[in-house]
């Protein structure tokens, strides 16, 4: 259930398993068994990088400050792995 406390609040829907109603989510469906049995660390880093990039894009589209930060962050990726594909 999505919730905001005040009508003036901005609600950002984030999903770690790929909920289609979320604003920030993995680009591919994530296997549900990863909730209990996580994948290898390399895959987790790629998933982290995907979320980081998606959050940066959302901020750039919805805030003026976010665009400047996105351009600065594009030069330095947040993780050692690539976010081009999950497993």
């Amino acid at each position: 259930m999505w919730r905001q406390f005040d009508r003036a609040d901005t609600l950002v829907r984030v999903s770690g398993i790929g909920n289609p109603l979320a604003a920030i989510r993995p680009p591919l469906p994530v296997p549900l068994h990863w909730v209990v049995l996580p994948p290898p660390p390399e895959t987790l880093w790629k998933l982290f990088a995907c979320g980081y990039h998606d959050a940066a894009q959302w901020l750039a589209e919805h805030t003026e400050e976010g665009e400047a930060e996105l351009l600065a962050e594009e030069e330095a990726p947040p993780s050692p792995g690539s976010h081009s594909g999950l497993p």
Side-chain angles (χ1 to χ4, degrees):
M1 170 184 260
W2 308 110
R3 180 177 178 173
Q4 61 192 96
F5 296 99
D6 189 74
R7 290 183 188 251
D9 292 343
T10 299
L11 179 66
V12 181
R13 295 174 176 100
V14 178
S15 173
I17 59 171
N19 185 328
L21 299 176
I24 300 172
R25 63 181 184 267
L28 303 170
V30 174
L32 290 178
H33 71 271
W34 283 4
V35 173
V36 179
L37 301 169
E42 300 83 28
T43 303
L44 289 175
W45 274 113
K46 291 176 184 179
L47 191 60
F48 168 79
C50 287
Y52 186 92
H53 182 71
D54 202 19
Q57 282 187 325
W58 188 92
L59 285 171
E61 293 171 5
H62 294 86
T63 66
E64 293 177 16
E65 302 86 19
E67 187 173 352
E69 290 178 17
L70 177 62
L71 294 174
E73 290 292 329
E74 292 266 329
E75 298 174 9
S79 67
S82 168
H83 70 279
S84 59
L86 292 176

